């Protein structure tokens, strides 16, 4: 199974969003797109060309954008509010909390350029706290797809789900490897079976986890690879099933260690099956300028970091 | 069509409801609520086309949003008195297991409320979103929103104001409760709003300035505002009100912005407000909301 996990090409997750929302707009006339002066970065060009009446340019005014999206949803639309992840969450947290989450509006907050793989722009834009903030909001669905294809599928799927959604993706060109897998909200994907350790990964780090598992397979270590694209609601059953078999866990995410996927899984396991666990995540730090690969390496999110974490947890087993 | 006399009688009962809600809850915001009692009565009993058989999407209906959510007692009274929910439920204001929350909310399903408000500065954006949806749906009905004047200190409003003018949101009537008071004192002392009329005009809005505690004047001017819709500009009404209007000891001061009167002062207030539609009983005997 592991050797079938190969890259069939490269493209960014944000391009997956752009293709997805264009496809969706053709199917669903209620879908509208908003952006705060970042239409090109969010790959909305095709949408704007063919559906100009369903596109709303808000200008550099994210707080207003969230309110507009809430109002549009009251009127029966399915608004996709788009900008960079930093401006889509932390900057407008109270607007999201009151006008979207507490009011249970059918708003889709679609955020690109999350994490250190944003690269050269540096830490002002590299949000690493967004998953934590958004999963804290009652009733919010939080999704962090791992490649172009999964982002495309997720963009389509969230329109079918009534309620507030945070869809997080990124800037860099990245391997595409999920074509055989169907995306379903809240359903973890078992990408490769294994017996020694469960690896739960989300977003770009899913690929690094695959590469790490391949390296360790050569050393006779069998990794179970599970993709957690939906951070909330968490697929507890899939996690517990795997952990009861392997009894060792590594999580991997492009996010702060505090508040991300790792902490969600640790909370679950502490209650249900206390298990040795290591977390590949940013350790209470801001990022900086650099290329995506340089930054992943420096901030402990590279393939070798996943390998180290697996060996560490196996030693504790 | 209600006569001016009938509207005044309704507004008197609404003011009684405000005082009683706040008194029994021993908390809440009577000052701004009393100041806007005439406006909300005029809207719900005369100016807006709306259906108390509540429908969230409001297709073919005018809609109202309250951005300054802390004046919830006046909105609750007007909603209940126009048939959205039983008047008796006003007795549960701010109490446990109630749909009548401290600030307006959709979470418990109170009919008439379409979005939560209370954290200030958000309502105008939501109203503009609804106005956009109405345009997309070819629905000719209007969107009304009330905001406080102190609330305009929140920057999000000015994002919304710029957006509405740029996008010719002309199915929208914003009203500013221009009472010059906020929690810490007068707006002039706390953070001056400057020349509000000139500011809105400079942003490209059609600006009206009216009196908010004179029913005849209010109804006439709200109808004028309606007639101005559909002409390519959003409309703002700077509505001069007096905080606490109708209760002598609450008028002319910010001190009753967020404070409940005790039993003696409640008696004193109610003695000044005619009971026209019948007070709701207290305590509440009906079914409670529970999560």
């Amino acid at each position: 199974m592991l050797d079938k996990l190969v890259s069939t090409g490269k493209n960014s997750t944000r391009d997956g969003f752009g293709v997805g929302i264009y496809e969706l707009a053709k199917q669903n006339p209620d879908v509208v797109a908003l952006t705060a002066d970042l239409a090109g970065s969010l790959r909305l060009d095709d949408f704007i060309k063919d559906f100009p009446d369903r596109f709303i340019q808000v200008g550099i005014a994210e707080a207003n954008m969230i309110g507009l999206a809430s109002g549009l949803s009251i009127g029966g639309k399915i608004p996709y509010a788009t900008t960079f992840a930093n401006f889509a969450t932390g900057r407008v947290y109270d607007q999201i909390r009151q006008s979207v989450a507490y009011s249970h509006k059918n708003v889709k907050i679609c955020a690109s350029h999350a994490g250190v793989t944003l690269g050269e722009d540096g830490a002002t834009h590299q949000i690493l706290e967004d998953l934590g903030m958004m999963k804290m909001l009652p009733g919010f669905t939080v999704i962090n797809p791992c490649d172009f294809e999964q982002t495309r599928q997720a963009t389509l799927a969230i329109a079918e789900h009534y309620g507030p959604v945070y869809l997080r993706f990124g800037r860099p060109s990245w391997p595409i490897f999920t074509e055989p897998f169907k995306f379903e909200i809240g359903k973890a994907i078992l990408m490769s079976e294994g017996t020694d350790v469960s690896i739960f990964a989300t977003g770009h780090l899913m690929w690094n986890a695959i590469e790490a598992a391949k390296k360790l397979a050569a050393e006779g270590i069998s990794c179970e690879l599970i993709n957690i694209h939906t951070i909330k609601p968490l697929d507890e059953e899939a996690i517990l099933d795997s952990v009861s078999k392997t009894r060792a866990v590594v999580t991997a995410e492009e996010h702060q260690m505090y508040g991300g996927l790792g902490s969600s899984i640790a909370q679950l396991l502490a209650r249900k099956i206390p298990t040795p666990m290591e977390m590949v995540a940013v350790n209470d730090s801001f990022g900086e300028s650099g290329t995506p690969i340089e930054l992943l390496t420096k901030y402990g999110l590279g393939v070798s970091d996943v390998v180290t974490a697996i060996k560490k947890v196996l030693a504790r087993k | 069509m209600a006569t001016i006399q009938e509207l005044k009688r309704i507004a008197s009962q609404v003011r009684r409801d405000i005082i009683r809600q706040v008194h029994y809850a021993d908390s809440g915001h009577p000052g701004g609520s009393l100041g806007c009692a005439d406006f909300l009565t005029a809207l719900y009993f005369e100016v807006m086309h709306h259906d108390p058989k509540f429908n969230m999407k409001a297709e073919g209906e005018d809609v109202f949003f309250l951005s300054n959510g802390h004046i919830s007692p006046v909105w609750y009274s007007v909603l209940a008195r126009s048939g959205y929910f039983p008047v008796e439920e006003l007795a549960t204001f701010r109490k446990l297991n109630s749909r009548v929350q401290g600030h307006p909310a959709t979470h418990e399903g109170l009919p008439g409320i379409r979005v939560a408000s209370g954290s200030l500065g958000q309502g105008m954006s939501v109203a503009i979103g609804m106005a956009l949806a109405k345009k997309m749906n070819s629905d000719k009905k209007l969107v009304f929103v009330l905001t406080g004047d102190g609330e305009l200190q929140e920057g999000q409003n000015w994002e919304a104001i710029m957006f509405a003018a740029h996008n010719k949101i002309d199915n929208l009537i914003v009203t500013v409760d221009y009472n010059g008071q906020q929690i810490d004192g007068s707006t002039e002392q706390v953070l001056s709003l400057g020349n509000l009329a000139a500011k809105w005009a400079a942003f490209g809005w059609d600006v009206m300035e009216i009196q908010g505690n004179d029913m005849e004047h209010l109804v006439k001017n709200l109808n004028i505002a309606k007639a101005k819709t559909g002409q390519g500009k959003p409309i703002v009404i700077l509505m001069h009100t007096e905080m606490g209007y109708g209760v002598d000891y609450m008028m002319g001061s910010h001190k009753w912005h967020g404070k409940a009167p005790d039993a003696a002062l409640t008696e004193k207030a109610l003695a000044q407000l005619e009971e026209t539609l019948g007070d709701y009983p207290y305590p509440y005997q009906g079914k409670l909301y529970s999560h």
Side-chain angles (χ1 to χ4, degrees), chain A residues 64 77 94 98-99 103 105, chain B residues 114 116 119 122 125 137 159:
Chain A
N64 188 42
K77 301 298 169 192
D94 184 53
Q98 174 172 282
S99 294
S103 299
K105 294 304 175 211
Chain B
R114 291 188 169 83
S119 176
Q122 301 184 28
S125 299
N137 295 338
E159 297 180 0

Side-chain angles (χ1 to χ4, degrees), chain A residues 58 60-65 67 91-92 94-95, chain B residues 67 119-125 128 147-164 182 191 193 199-200 203 205:
Chain A
V58 178
I60 310 165
E62 294 82 7
N64 188 42
M65 176 167 73
R91 189 183 177 91
V92 291
D94 184 53
Q95 282 80 10
Chain B
S67 189
S119 176
L120 295 175
Q122 301 184 28
M124 211 188 314
S125 299
I128 294 167
T147 168
D149 52 359
E151 184 176 5
L152 294 176
Q153 291 159 357
E154 292 281 8
Q156 184 181 343
N157 288 306
W158 301 95
E159 297 180 0
I161 291 167
M162 204 185 299
F163 179 92
Q182 56 191 110
L191 184 64
L193 302 171
K199 283 182 179 170
W200 286 84
F203 275 82
W205 286 55

Side-chain angles (χ1 to χ4, degrees), chain B residues 150-216:
Chain B
E151 184 176 5
L152 294 176
Q153 291 159 357
E154 292 281 8
Q156 184 181 343
N157 288 306
W158 301 95
E159 297 180 0
I161 291 167
M162 204 185 299
F163 179 92
H166 178 86
N167 290 284
K168 300 183 170 51
I169 307 298
D170 57 3
N171 53 345
L172 173 76
I173 300 176
V174 174
T175 301
V176 178
D177 179 17
Y178 205 1
N179 61 21
Q181 305 289 338
Q182 56 191 110
I183 296 179
D184 278 354
S186 71
T187 53
E188 210 44 46
Q189 289 168 332
V190 175
L191 184 64
S192 173
L193 302 171
N195 186 336
L196 262 193
K199 283 182 179 170
W200 286 84
F203 275 82
W205 286 55
D206 193 331
V207 185
M208 294 172 66
E209 199 154 356
I210 70 168
Q211 300 301 319
N213 295 125
D214 173 340
M215 191 61 84
E216 192 167 359

Side-chain angles (χ1 to χ4, degrees), chain A residues 32 53-54 56-58 60-65 67-68 70-72 74-77 94-95 98-99 102-105, chain B residues 56-57 65 101 105-108 114-119 122 125-126 128-130 132-133 136-137 156 159-160 163 167:
Chain A
V32 298
D53 298 339
R54 287 153 58 189
I56 298 159
Q57 172 60 264
V58 178
I60 310 165
E62 294 82 7
N64 188 42
M65 176 167 73
L68 293 174
S70 171
L72 283 158
I74 297 169
K77 301 298 169 192
D94 184 53
Q95 282 80 10
Q98 174 172 282
S99 294
Y102 183 41
S103 299
H104 199 65
K105 294 304 175 211
Chain B
M56 177 63 81
K57 270 178 84 174
F65 292 96
Q101 289 290 300
T106 57
H107 194 252
E108 294 76 20
R114 291 188 169 83
V115 72
S117 61
S119 176
Q122 301 184 28
S125 299
V126 177
I128 294 167
M130 182 67 170
L132 278 169
M136 289 177 178
N137 295 338
Q156 184 181 343
E159 297 180 0
F163 179 92
N167 290 284

Side-chain angles (χ1 to χ4, degrees), chain A residues 6-306:
Chain A
V6 292
S7 169
T8 54
K10 274 182 105 177
N11 204 342
S12 67
T13 48
R14 60 173 162 153
D15 278 288
F17 171 73
V19 168
I21 195 169
Y22 179 67
E23 214 176 308
L24 176 65
K26 286 191 276 189
Q27 300 167 11
N28 191 331
D30 289 330
V31 169
V32 298
L34 302 95
T35 196
D37 200 30
L38 286 171
S41 294
L42 268 293
R43 301 296 194 246
L44 291 171
D45 310 275
D46 288 343
F47 184 104
I48 295 167
K49 188 160 88 32
D50 284 359
F51 306 101
D53 298 339
R54 287 153 58 189
F55 169 69
I56 298 159
Q57 172 60 264
V58 178
I60 310 165
E62 294 82 7
N64 188 42
M65 176 167 73
I66 298 301
L68 293 174
S70 171
L72 283 158
S73 76
I74 297 169
K77 301 298 169 192
I78 307 175
Y80 279 58
T82 74
T83 180
F84 289 171
N86 186 27
F87 314 136
T89 56
R91 189 183 177 91
V92 291
Y93 197 58
D94 184 53
Q95 282 80 10
I96 295 172
R97 182 176 178 274
Q98 174 172 282
S99 294
V100 178
Y102 183 41
S103 299
H104 199 65
K105 294 304 175 211
N106 194 21
V107 169
K108 316 303 173 189
I109 295 171
C110 301
S112 183
H113 292 54
V116 291
T117 53
L118 159 76
E120 293 79 357
D121 277 345
T124 52
H125 289 50
Q126 291 163 346
I127 196 159
L128 293 162
E129 301 81 29
D130 54 329
L131 295 176
M133 282 190 279
M134 301 310 285
K135 79 177 190 185
M136 286 263 284
L137 292 170
F140 238 92
T141 295
V142 178
I143 298 169
N144 183 27
C146 61
D147 73 350
F148 170 93
E149 170 59 16
Q150 194 174 70
T151 312
R152 185 191 70 80
Q153 289 192 41
T155 303
L156 289 157
I158 59 177
E160 302 297 321
H161 163 85
Y162 185 93
V165 174
Y166 179 59
L167 181 67
R168 177 216 217 209
F169 40 92
R171 175 171 181 260
S173 185
W174 204 251
I176 303 171
F177 52 92
T178 64
E179 267 154 9
F181 300 101
K182 187 170 158 32
F183 174 89
E184 206 178 321
I185 297 173
K187 269 266 185 266
I189 297 175
L190 175 60
M191 301 197 97
S192 179
E193 282 186 55
T195 51
D196 296 329
V197 56
S198 302
I199 306 178
F200 301 109
T202 193
H204 292 131
L205 260 65
M206 189 67 230
W207 180 250
N208 289 4
I210 291 169
E211 297 247 280
K214 285 179 180 172
K215 280 201 160 82
L216 289 171
E219 297 178 25
I221 296 170
S222 165
C223 298
E224 179 138 298
L225 283 168
I226 296 183
N227 173 230
I228 308 286
H229 47 67
T230 306
I231 310 294
K232 188 186 174 187
L234 196 63
D235 189 344
E236 300 192 351
E237 201 185 326
I239 294 166
L240 294 174
D241 277 356
S242 177
V243 171
S244 53
K245 180 174 69 178
T246 63
R247 296 287 174 165
V249 172
V250 169
T251 59
E253 62 194 305
E254 191 182 353
H255 190 271
Q256 299 287 356
M257 189 184 295
Y258 302 112
L261 172 66
S263 71
S264 282
I265 292 180
Q267 283 178 336
L268 172 69
L269 296 181
R271 284 186 289 116
K272 299 284 174 70
I273 312 176
T275 308
M277 180 170 175
E278 293 294 329
M279 299 181 193
V280 176
V282 176
N283 186 11
D284 201 24
S285 165
F286 290 103
E288 65 183 80
S289 293
T291 68
I293 296 299
E294 285 170 345
L295 290 162
L296 287 172
T297 305
K298 177 164 178 179
Y299 287 89
L301 308 174
V303 175
S304 65
D305 296 296
V306 183

Side-chain angles (χ1 to χ4, degrees), chain B residues 47-50 58 60-64 134 141-142 144 226:
Chain B
V47 176
M48 288 202 314
H49 295 280
H50 65 103
E61 284 183 71
D62 294 331
V63 286
F64 172 76
K134 284 207 176 286
K141 287 291 187 279
L142 301 176
F144 293 83
K226 274 173 78 173

